[in-house]
Amino acid sequence: MAKLVVLYKTPKDPAAFDAYYNATHIPIARKIPGLRKYEISTGPIGTPDGPSGLHLTAILTFDSLAAIKDALGSPEGQAAADDLANFASGGADLYMFDTKDA
């Protein structure tokens, strides 16, 4: 399996971010081909030392790293990427990697 992790930094208006993300962005992202699982964080995101500068994390699961790359290049993946400008005012970092059970 492989993961795409999106770390959303704290936006200018967290309530507006949450409303848009749940009502609009999730339905767009769920259409990405090859998506096996879509998880998001709930509540505050902390560190061992206290609060973080993150508002939300999303973890999208795919069959492989190649599947993530294909998905992001698809029209649905591009639509999800283009949608970030509509709500992620704090910015977002994306990371992708293969996984294995340890």
Side-chain angles (χ1 to χ4, degrees):
M1 301 304 286
K3 307 282 185 182
L4 172 63
V5 176
V6 186
L7 305 176
Y8 292 99
K9 297 173 187 163
T10 302
K12 294 176 187 171
D13 184 344
F17 175 103
D18 292 343
Y20 188 93
Y21 189 85
N22 289 302
T24 304
H25 189 71
I26 287 175
I28 291 170
R30 285 196 174 278
K31 294 178 183 175
I32 296 173
L35 179 64
R36 298 288 179 215
K37 187 175 182 181
Y38 190 159
E39 301 172 90
I40 61 170
S41 60
T42 60
I45 299 171
T47 72
D49 295 324
S52 73
L54 297 176
H55 179 68
L56 184 130
T57 63
I59 303 169
L60 288 71
T61 303
F62 294 83
D63 288 337
S64 66
L65 194 54
I68 293 174
K69 291 177 182 177
D70 289 344
L72 294 177
S74 71
E76 297 87 352
Q78 287 298 301
D82 291 345
D83 190 47
L84 293 175
N86 295 323
F87 69 95
S89 61
D93 295 321
L94 284 75
Y95 300 93
M96 53 189 174
F97 48 87
D98 280 317
T99 65
K100 67 177 182 175
D101 289 334

